[in-house]
Amino acid sequence: MTPDFWRDKRVFLTGHTGFKGSWLSLWLQSLGAQVHGLALAPPTTPNLFTVAQVAQDMASSTISDIRDLTTLQQAMQACQPDIVIHMAAQPLVRQSYADPVETYATNVMGTVHVLESARHCPSVKSIVVVTTDKCYDNKEWAWGYREDEPMGGHDPYSNSKGCAELVTSAYRRSFLQGQGKAVATARAGNVIGGGDWAAERLVPDILRAFESNQPVIIRNPHATRPWQHVLEPLSAYLSLAEHLYTHGQTFAEGWNFGPKDEDAKPVQWIVEHMVNSWGKGAAWQQDGGTHPHEANYLKLDISKAKASLGWQPRWSLATALGLITTWHQAYLAKDDMKALCLAQIRKYACAI
Ligand SMILES: NC(=O)c1ccc[n+]([C@@H]2O[C@H](COP(=O)([O-])OP(=O)(O)OC[C@H]3O[C@@H](n4cnc5c(N)ncnc54)[C@H](O)[C@@H]3O)[C@@H](O)[C@H]2O)c1
């Protein structure tokens, strides 16, 4: 990632009001990019978009639905971006069981609409579509998944992201490649960081319980996930978008951006680490109830990103968890959270 590359670049970012979108908007703003966002209103209360005053330095912020092709096309045409980063999605597995139709409409047709808008927007050169590690056909095996393995997804969320991968591949081959627009997909693991208040995600659940002095109830302590700090995949998306812009089709394919092998840890490891670092009577318990299927073991092989993009994870899981505790305690102390986010971004950038 070359910081100078981003100065004055026009970036169209979907999902800028979400957890990852807010962090990415702040990072891009700090690099001098002109960031134009399109998303629904922030998905939680509280939310990082408001807490870190992300709107303040956006070039434009459109509150709209990616299922509405006309408005999306108009917003992209008005921006004439160099780069499109598509992150807007219904991102929760359990919500996808509750409302599969909304999940597929947003994640699959929403992706079609973003790519269709990019296809008709002459300025666009580089497009990154954010999917997930869950897009793979999960065989519950011990090896990391490689980029050329089959798409799958047991639950509607995971499967909708597998579909978004296939949609992107078809758009690349049918339209975008021929127009000289380079499009890639980015598959990252479970992201953690300060400012995530999503329902039924591990770290937000832990922090909510700590705040109210209740033991955190854990559904699946043995589930192993490729955990990573939010700035890790965001640095990868920036690097990938830059490579697509500069080198074109060579990089127009799927990419894994996971943590170091040793940071694919069980839920129990995370919760015990956070209980110890929070102090003040923090505790956890296992939930005895039955729950819908969630994949047990999932690891990404990141050899390709290391070899071809020169990208690799910088922060250990322990470092990431320490930064989250610092972030959340500063939030509770009513500190300036925009300044803290920017300080954590600078700290990460120094590690690159
Ligand atoms: N958080 C993770 O652990 C993780 C892991 C892998 C991939 N991802 C992917 O990263 C992206 C961002 O995730 P997040 O954790 O920031 O989620 P989030 O819920 O915090 O943000 C989602 C964003 O999408 C927007 N959005 C949702 N439906 C929309 C619609 N119909 N039209 C327009 N905007 C809509 C929301 O307003 C919000 O801005 C998603 O594509 C998600 O699938 C997240």
Side-chain angles (χ1 to χ4, degrees), residues 131-153:
T131 67
T132 171
D133 56 351
K134 295 185 175 71
C135 66
Y136 289 108
D137 184 21
N138 189 343
K139 307 224 169 33
E140 306 267 339
W141 64 25
W143 302 280
Y145 290 84
R146 289 192 185 155
E147 283 87 347
D148 57 359
E149 280 175 284
M151 295 294 111

Side-chain angles (χ1 to χ4, degrees), residues 95-241:
Q95 171 62 19
S96 81
Y97 280 115
D99 196 343
V101 175
E102 177 216 17
T103 302
Y104 280 109
T106 301
N107 296 0
V108 184
M109 283 313 292
T111 302
V112 171
H113 292 166
V114 170
L115 295 175
E116 182 66 11
S117 304
R119 175 188 168 205
H120 291 291
C121 191
S123 60
V124 174
K125 277 186 76 175
S126 153
I127 308 160
V128 174
V129 174
V130 172
T131 67
T132 171
D133 56 351
K134 295 185 175 71
C135 66
Y136 289 108
D137 184 21
N138 189 343
K139 307 224 169 33
E140 306 267 339
W141 64 25
W143 302 280
Y145 290 84
R146 289 192 185 155
E147 283 87 347
D148 57 359
E149 280 175 284
M151 295 294 111
H154 180 112
D155 60 87
Y157 167 69
S158 308
N159 183 260
S160 72
K161 288 289 188 167
C163 294
E165 288 276 348
L166 298 177
V167 164
T168 306
S169 163
Y171 257 80
R172 178 190 301 124
R173 285 187 280 189
S174 306
F175 309 114
L176 301 171
Q177 204 167 43
Q179 295 177 312
K181 299 176 194 287
V183 58
T185 54
R187 306 158 188 171
N190 279 45
V191 173
I192 56 176
D196 189 5
W197 278 277
E200 298 179 329
R201 265 189 199 155
L202 180 64
V203 171
D205 281 351
I206 293 174
L207 292 169
R208 270 188 288 266
F210 288 177
E211 251 183 87
S212 53
N213 288 318
Q214 299 292 319
V216 54
I217 308 298
I218 297 297
R219 292 195 298 271
N220 202 351
H222 305 298
T224 297
R225 299 275 184 271
W227 309 99
Q228 55 191 167
H229 191 274
V230 62
L231 296 177
E232 303 274 17
L234 298 187
S235 73
Y237 304 161
L238 293 178
S239 171
L240 182 55

Side-chain angles (χ1 to χ4, degrees), residues 1-3 5-7 9 11 13 20-21 23-33 35 83-85 87 126-128 130 186 230-246 257 309 311 345 348-349 352:
M1 212 261 282
T2 321
F5 167 84
W6 290 95
R7 191 164 304 120
K9 284 284 177 310
V11 181
L13 172 64
K20 287 168 75 174
W23 275 102
L24 187 57
S25 298
L26 289 174
W27 197 344
L28 284 165
Q29 290 166 6
S30 74
L31 293 170
V35 193
I83 292 164
V84 174
I85 303 178
M87 297 211 305
S126 153
I127 308 160
V128 174
V130 172
V230 62
L231 296 177
E232 303 274 17
L234 298 187
S235 73
Y237 304 161
L238 293 178
S239 171
L240 182 55
E242 181 185 331
H243 277 79
L244 291 166
Y245 187 92
T246 309
F257 299 115
L309 287 174
W311 177 88
I345 289 169
Y348 184 85
I352 297 180

Side-chain angles (χ1 to χ4, degrees), residues 275-288:
V275 162
N276 290 333
S277 75
W278 191 267
K280 292 185 285 187
W284 74 280
Q285 284 173 8
Q286 181 162 0
D287 181 352

